[in-house]
Amino acid sequence: MEPDDEAWEARLAGDALGAQERYDAVQELAGIRGFKYLDIDAVTRLPIEEVVQRVASVPEIAGSPDRVQATALLGTAEKPKINVQAALEMY
């Protein structure tokens, strides 16, 4: 694992981050890996070649796919819900 990967892993795993920050970080990580973040519904509509490319780009850690990077590349991050307080802060 590269040092940058470790930083992203820590950032995305941190309990201190809110849902929106984690979602933003997943989108940014997909971009760093050369892909646009797409939700799982959009990923399933891609040409099979691009889906295979995304899957092949997920690194392994100790013989298992890296969960955070798989989330970023395969679009399985849960989109945060906006509550009233967050909506007021946004506007």
Side-chain angles (χ1 to χ4, degrees):
M1 182 180 301
E2 298 175 22
D4 285 344
D5 291 345
E6 292 175 13
W8 280 104
E9 294 279 344
R11 182 175 174 192
L12 291 171
D15 291 333
L17 291 179
Q20 184 64 50
E21 289 84 2
R22 282 191 301 274
Y23 189 73
D24 292 345
V26 167
Q27 290 179 318
E28 194 171 336
L29 180 56
I32 287 171
R33 295 291 173 228
F35 297 93
K36 179 179 184 207
Y37 180 81
L38 301 172
D39 66 29
I40 188 68
D41 291 332
V43 170
T44 61
R45 290 190 302 270
L46 291 171
I48 190 67
E49 296 81 13
E50 187 169 342
V51 175
V52 169
Q53 185 179 17
R54 285 173 177 260
V55 170
S57 296
V58 175
E60 288 188 7
I61 298 177
S64 296
D66 180 296
R67 181 183 56 81
V68 172
Q69 297 213 26
T71 297
L73 299 179
L74 302 177
T76 59
E78 185 176 334
K79 190 168 187 173
K81 295 172 179 53
I82 297 178
N83 60 29
V84 173
Q85 181 64 35
L88 290 173
E89 290 173 6
M90 288 173 58
Y91 300 102

